[in-house]
Each structure stands twice: as C-alpha cells, then as structure tokens.
C-alpha cells in the first residue's frame, strides 16, 4: 500500500509543527522518520493515522483520500511508544479487540477470532502469555503484544511511534532486529518514528530526516550517512567534527589560515566544515592542513579516540577524532590532521 | 444532628482524595516509590517517640473520636430504641415516615442517575480535551462544595418561586417545581454535582487518551470505545463517586429544606422529617428515622473503604518498572 503526503501544514498556536511536508512511501517499504524531539515526526505519523488533523494539505493512502475518514475507518495499525494496551483485558482480549469491534456484518465468528489471535501470538512468539494482564508483562513483551494487536486488523499500513523508546538498550536492540525480520516476513508498508539514528539506519529501508517541521533529506541509510544533504543532517547523523571556516574564491580558510582542501564548489562566505571523526588522516607535524596537540587518548576495540587541541588562529578549539590503532598516539604529541572526506555547508543566516 | 456530621465526613474525604490525586502528575511508579519512602520515614519517626508521648497522642485521638463520632451514633440508636423495638418499627411504619422514605429514595435515584451522566460527561470533557475556559469549568464544578446549601436552595426559590424570574410563567402553565418533587430533585442535583465529576477527573487525567486512541485506530466506534475501554478503566472511581453522591443526596438538609415547603406526607424527605418530629417532641420517631440515615452512613463507609482499595489496585498495573 502506498502513502502520499502533500503540502501538510500543522500549527500548534504559532508553532509550526509541520511546515509544508511532502512524502511518498512505496509499497512494502519500511521507512524511518528520524529527527530530534519537536521536529514534527510524531505529528506527521499521527496525521497519517487520523489521530491528528492537518491545517492544510493532503494525505492519500493507495490513491484514496484519507483525510475524509476518521482513524477508525482508515485501517491503519498504530503502535504507541507507551504500548497503550488495554489494562483491564488479558493479552488475548487485547489482540482480539480489533476483531471484536468490527461491524456485525463483517465480524468473524468466535472460532475464527480465536484462531487468528492464536496465529498472531505465535507470530510475536508470546502465545504462552495469552491469559496474562499487561501489568504482568515486561516492556519488550508489551510492545510485541501491541504490535500483534495492531496487526490483528490486517492493516493496510503499520505506523509505529517510537516503538522502542521506552525500552532499555539491550531489549531495544533485540526488538529492532526482530522488527526487521518480521517486516520481511509480512511485508506491510510501515513507517516508524525514532530519534535514535542508529535505530533508523539499522532497521529502515529508507530514512526521512526531519528538523523543525521540515524534511531535510530522504534517502537510504547509506545515502543520509555518506551524502548528507544539509548541515543539519551531517551534524545529526553520525559523529561529526564541525569547524567554522571562510570560503573565498575556491580556497578554504580556518581562522585566517588557508587549509589544503578544495572548496568543492561551495559558495563564498562564512561556512562550516564537516568531517567525520574517522575521516581525519593523522600525520607527523607539519604535513597536513591542521595541526594540534593530543590532549587525551582513550583506546577501545579497534579504535583510539583522541582529544586534539587545534593550534593556530583559534587556539582553543578542541576536537575529537577516531583513529585506527596502527599508530598509537601519545598525550602531548603534536600531530597534523588532513580531512580525507569532508563537506562544506554555507552558514545560514 | 449526628447524621449531619457523618455526612460531612465523606465530602471532606472526597475533597482530600481529589486534591491528592490532582498532584499525581508524576508517573505512578515514581509516586508509589516516594509514598513508600514517606511512609517508612513516618513510621520510623513515630516509633522513635518515647512511650508516654505515644500513649497520650493515641489517647487524645481516640477520645476525640469517641466524643464527636461514636457517642452521637450511640445516642441515635439508644434514643431510637428507648421505648422498645415495637415502638421503633411502629414509628417507621407511620404513613408520614413511609412517604419521607419513599421521597428520599426517589430524589436520590433521580439526582444520582442524572449526576452520574453529567459527571461522566464533565470529567470526560475536562480530562480528555483541551479547550479555553477549562480552568473556569473545573472551578465551577466545585462551586456547590463552597456554597452554603441554604443558598443553593434559595437560588431555586429565586428562579422558580411565585415572585421569581419564571414564577408567573410556571404558574400560568400549571407547572409545579417549587414545593414539589422537581424542586427537591433540582436542589439535590445542584448540591451533589461535584461528587462524580471530582472523583473521575484525576483518574481520567492520569490515564490519558492513549488507550482510547488505540481503540479507535483498531476500528472501534466512539460508543464502543467508551463502553469497552473508558468505562472499565474508571468503573471503581465511578462507583466511588456515585456512592458519595448517593450518601449526600439522601442526607441533604439545607438546600432541600428551603425548596421543599415541608408539606407533611408529601414533600418531606427523611432529614426534614427528623427535624420536624424532633421539634414536636416525638423523640423515638425522630431518632428512628435518624437511625436509618446513620445506618446508610455506616454502610457507605464500609463500601467506600472497599472501593478505595480497588482504586489503589487499579492504579498500580502500568506502574511496574522494567
């Protein structure tokens, strides 16, 4: 099932939660809406679900106008961050709810409902919890039941609002992999909201990066990581070193000193240089564009993370780099740094 | 007048309940934990008091309770049975007494069922929606608690009385509100309105709207959502409010006294009849009726305790930490 969102505007008072958002989701996709809190991602999800209404714009599901229908008619599975399980019902009844509230004309008989619920509980591997109450389950179990409940109505699309946000790190990781394999099994078009970049990059086929009610970039996880479209995306996804530079006629200057890198067509003016931590080439003093003193080194796994106090113009700038451990750095050592890969974005006024 | 004191207690208890629940914005788990800490601290402090002081404090509390609560209750029953059990039942079988009991039950049935509906609607609106004037509405709901019941009755006299705003029109159309059942019911509804709404608002606010949203996204209609999700979640709180509402509806004196007109065998409720009989020196009859009200109070207390336990249990489930 495809989803199309056009020119959506949503304001809360004078605050624009969504500012002209366009989005197309293809059949069978697993899409992540990624952004900091307040970026409008949850609002967008709720509008698609019919739990919120936009001030302007269009939402179509499978080419059919969705805004003319309430949430109960849209046939959309929604999974809440805090599960929202019905606390007075057993797990079984929670999952059966969507089947029991169907209009009499299309409602299945009791045996069919029981079989379907059993099937769903098997799917989420929790059939042994059927007679428990939500309060007796762990967070991870609750979220899987919430998912089974949403799937019971055979939704056209599945929407998940920070599905792992309330879980601890280990459970979160397990559930992530589980969700991805579940998606490849049932292939329902899905959108999930997250503020966790790792989660988005690891689970989704495509990632939509949002900030301040706008979409900054849409792309595959590799795309948004390797080719960030904007300064925001570069800063938000992956760890970046950010240096204030000045671009003038094809040369890049840091604190008045020219750097030995090409401007790559960046417009003249105040700009920011973005370099991934692991994209800084280390060399002996005097061989690269930047120079600095190693202040502190921590080694773990295959990398060493070093704090470098840059010398020159600014003097006080401290950056963190990740270097392979083939050449151990020492605190106090003076080294040179040369960006291998970098992006330059103009500073927006 | 012992019945009066016992009916003030539930109201005070409810207000205390509502205001503590109002503070409960923190997640239940955190609240429970802090409660436990507080309780532990309190009991440790108490145990560290020297023996004699502890004894004096407990004795003071007990004697105060005995003088102001237990003694009046005993007096009610003692006076009611002072001329023997036959006189007691004869007093209750008097046509005037029977009519008062019937009227009280009727008025309570009307006002409790209407306040049940209005209370749920008001609590729903306040807890689940944001709109301008919400704070004003919450204040308004509390108005009957802060206004003297006599004033509450007088308002209806001013509206429906012969010299009132709508008096002439009502008279012309031969509609009887004042000094009849509708007036008594109206005054009782006014006085007892806050109970249901007040006991539901904090509960519904704490529960939020997520379960309702989940139900709607699963295809449930508005009514299905209310009866299958909202109502089961608030049932203990609702019963609690209804119980206190009923106790007050049956025991209300001031407001009803103003609008009733004291027509014997017609517009006297039980509390009104107690006063009339007492003023006529029919002590046995007076206290016999009063004993019924006192029994209602005792039953209310027991049921209320059970409901409070249920409410506490109902609030824990989602609070379990991971």
């Amino acid at each position: 099932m495809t989803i199309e969102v056009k020119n959506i505007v949503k304001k809360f008072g004078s605050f624009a939660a969504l500012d002209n958002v366009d989005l197309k989701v293809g059949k069978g996709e697993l899409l992540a809406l990624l952004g900091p809190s307040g970026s409008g991602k949850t609002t967008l999800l709720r509008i698609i679900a019919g739990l919120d209404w936009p001030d302007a714009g269009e939402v179509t599901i499978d080419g059919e106008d969705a805004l003319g229908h309430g949430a109960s008619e849209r046939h959309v599975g929604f999974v809440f961050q805090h599960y929202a399980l019905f606390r007075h019902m057993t797990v079984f009844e929670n999952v059966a709810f969507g089947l029991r509230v169907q209009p009499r004309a299309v409602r299945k008989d009791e045996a069919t409902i029981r079989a379907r619920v059993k099937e769903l509980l098997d799917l989420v591997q929790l059939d042994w919890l059927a007679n428990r109450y939500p309060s007796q389950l762990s967070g991870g179990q609750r979220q899987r039941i919430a998912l089974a409940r949403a799937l019971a109505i055979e939704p056209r699309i599945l929407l998940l609002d920070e599905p792992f946000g309330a879980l601890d790190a280990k459970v979160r990781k397990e559930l992530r992999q589980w969700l991805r394999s579940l998606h490849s099994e049932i292939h329902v078009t899905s959108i999930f909201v997250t503020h966790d970049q790792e989660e988005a990059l690891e689970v989704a086929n495509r990632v939509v990066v949002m900030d301040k009610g706008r979409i900054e970039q849409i792309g595959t996880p590799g795309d948004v990581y390797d080719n960030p479209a904007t300064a925001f995306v570069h800063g938000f996804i992956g760890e970046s070193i950010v240096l204030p530079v000045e671009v003038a006629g094809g040369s890049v200057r840091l604190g008045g000193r020219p750097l030995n890198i090409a401007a790559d067509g960046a417009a003249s003016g105040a700009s920011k240089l973005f370099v991934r931590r692991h994209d800084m080439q280390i060399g002996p003093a005097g061989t690269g564009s930047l120079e600095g003193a190693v202040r502190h080194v921590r080694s773990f796994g295959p990398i060493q993370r070093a704090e470098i106090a840059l010398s020159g113009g600014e003097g006080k700038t401290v950056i963190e780099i990740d270097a392979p451990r083939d050449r151990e750095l020492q605190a106090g050592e003076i080294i040179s740094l040369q960006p291998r890969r970098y992006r330059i974005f103009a500073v927006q006024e | 007048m012992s019945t009066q004191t016992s009916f003030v207690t539930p109201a005070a208890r409810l207000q205390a309940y509502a205001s503590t629940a109002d503070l409960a914005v923190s997640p239940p788990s955190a609240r429970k934990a802090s409660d436990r800490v507080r309780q532990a601290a309190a009991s440790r402090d108490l145990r560290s008091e020297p023996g004699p002081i502890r004894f004096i404090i407990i004795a003071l509390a007990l004697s105060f309770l005995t003088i102001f609560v237990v003694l009046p209750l005993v007096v009610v029953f003692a006076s009611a049975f002072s001329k023997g059990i036959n006189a007691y039942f004869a007093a209750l079988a008097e046509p005037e007494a029977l009519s008062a009991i019937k009227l009280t039950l009727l008025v309570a049935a009307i006002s409790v069922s209407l306040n049940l509906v209005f209370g749920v609607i008001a609590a729903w609106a306040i807890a689940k929606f944001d709109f301008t004037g919400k704070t004003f509405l919450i204040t308004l709901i509390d108005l009957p608690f802060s206004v003297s019941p006599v004033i509450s009755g007088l308002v209806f006299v001013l509206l429906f009385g012969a010299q009132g705003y709508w008096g002439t029109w009502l008279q012309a159309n031969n509609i009887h509100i004042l000094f009849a059942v509708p007036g008594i019911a109206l005054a009782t509804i006014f006085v007892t309105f806050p109970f249901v709404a007040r006991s539901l608002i904090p509960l519904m606010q704490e529960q939020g709207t997520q379960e309702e949203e989940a139900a709607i996204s699963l295809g449930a209609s508005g009514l299905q959502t209310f009866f299958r999700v909202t109502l089961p979640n608030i049932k203990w709180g609702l019963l609690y409010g209804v119980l206190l509402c009923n106790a007050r509806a049956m025991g209300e004196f001031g407001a009803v006294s103003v609008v009733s007109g004291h027509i014997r065998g017609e517009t006297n409720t039980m509390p009104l009849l107690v006063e009339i009989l007492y003023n006529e020196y029919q002590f046995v009859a007076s206290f016999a009726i009063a004993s019924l009200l006192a029994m209602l109070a005792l039953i209310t207390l027991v049921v209320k305790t059970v409901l409070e336990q249920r409410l506490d249990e109902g609030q824990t489930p989602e609070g379990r930490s991971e």
Side-chain angles (χ1 to χ4, degrees), chain B:
Chain B
M1 283 298 97
S2 63
T3 51
Q4 284 287 313
T5 42
S6 46
F7 284 113
V8 173
T9 345
R13 180 68 188 80
L14 175 69
Q15 275 176 321
Y17 164 75
S19 58
T20 48
D22 267 346
L23 296 172
V25 241
S26 54
S29 54
R31 182 158 45 85
K32 288 278 163 198
S34 65
D35 276 354
R36 241 176 278 130
V37 171
R38 217 178 302 134
Q39 275 166 11
S43 56
R44 210 185 311 121
D45 288 347
L46 219 104
R47 257 181 265 121
S48 68
E49 295 292 346
I53 292 184
R54 231 188 303 159
F55 175 79
I56 290 170
I57 292 172
I58 295 172
L60 266 175
L62 276 181
S63 45
F64 187 85
L65 253 151
T66 313
I67 294 169
F68 287 94
V69 180
V70 181
L71 217 59
L73 257 179
V74 172
V75 169
V76 170
F77 285 98
S79 311
F81 288 102
S82 62
K83 296 263 165 62
I85 199 151
N86 288 335
Y88 177 81
F89 283 110
L92 289 184
E94 283 286 316
E96 262 184 41
L98 286 178
S99 129
I101 293 170
K102 251 191 262 171
L103 180 64
T104 303
L105 291 176
L106 175 68
V107 167
I110 295 172
S111 50
V112 170
S113 46
L114 286 178
N115 272 340
L116 173 77
V117 176
F118 295 150
V120 170
I121 292 172
W124 178 279
I126 285 167
K128 312 263 170 173
F129 301 106
D130 279 318
F131 51 91
T132 42
K134 187 161 144 174
T135 333
F136 181 65
L137 187 60
I138 296 175
T139 318
L140 217 56
I141 285 177
D142 280 339
L143 185 72
F145 273 163
S146 50
V147 165
S148 158
V150 178
I151 311 290
S152 312
L154 214 57
V155 170
F156 291 101
V157 174
L158 288 176
L159 282 177
F160 302 117
Q163 272 77 44
Y165 290 106
W166 299 323
T168 20
W169 183 85
L170 288 170
Q171 251 171 353
N173 289 280
N174 204 20
I175 300 170
H176 300 286
I177 291 183
L178 225 51
F179 313 135
V181 177
I184 299 173
L186 276 174
T188 310
I189 288 170
F190 180 86
V191 172
T192 58
F193 179 74
F195 287 96
V196 173
R198 258 295 169 193
S199 63
L200 288 184
I201 290 169
L203 191 65
M204 287 173 115
Q205 273 175 339
E206 191 193 316
Q207 289 175 351
T209 50
Q210 285 227 319
E211 285 185 44
E212 278 84 5
E213 285 184 347
I216 288 168
S217 80
L218 289 168
S221 67
L223 278 181
Q224 281 174 323
T225 305
F226 180 76
F227 282 108
R228 284 169 183 256
V229 176
T230 309
L231 199 58
N233 275 343
I234 60 168
K235 65 182 171 202
W236 297 120
L238 187 60
L239 274 176
Y240 185 87
V242 163
L243 178 83
L244 297 191
C245 180
N246 179 61
R248 180 68 188 267
M250 290 191 174
E252 177 55 28
F253 181 86
V256 171
S257 174
V258 176
V259 296
S260 116
H262 306 275
I263 306 168
R264 303 201 97 165
E266 267 185 53
T267 64
N268 275 335
T269 60
M270 287 161 73
L272 299 187
L273 190 63
V274 170
E275 198 211 15
I276 290 171
L277 293 173
Y278 184 84
N279 286 343
E280 292 172 353
Y281 304 103
Q282 303 187 44
F283 295 126
V284 170
S286 162
F287 280 107
I289 309 264
S291 74
L292 291 184
L293 288 170
M295 268 188 280
L296 170 74
L298 292 176
I299 294 168
T300 302
L301 271 180
V302 172
V303 180
K304 188 172 78 78
T305 313
V306 173
L307 285 180
E308 274 168 0
Q309 276 168 4
R310 290 289 186 156
L311 265 172
D312 281 349
E313 280 165 26
Q315 275 167 359
T316 28
E318 291 298 306
R320 217 189 74 163
S321 52
E322 302 309 330

Side-chain angles (χ1 to χ4, degrees), chain A residues 146-165:
Chain A
L147 195 59
R149 180 178 69 176
L151 291 173
I153 58 168
E154 288 171 39
R156 298 190 290 175
I157 52 177
L158 186 61
L159 305 174
L160 306 102
D161 182 13
E162 299 263 8
F164 316 124

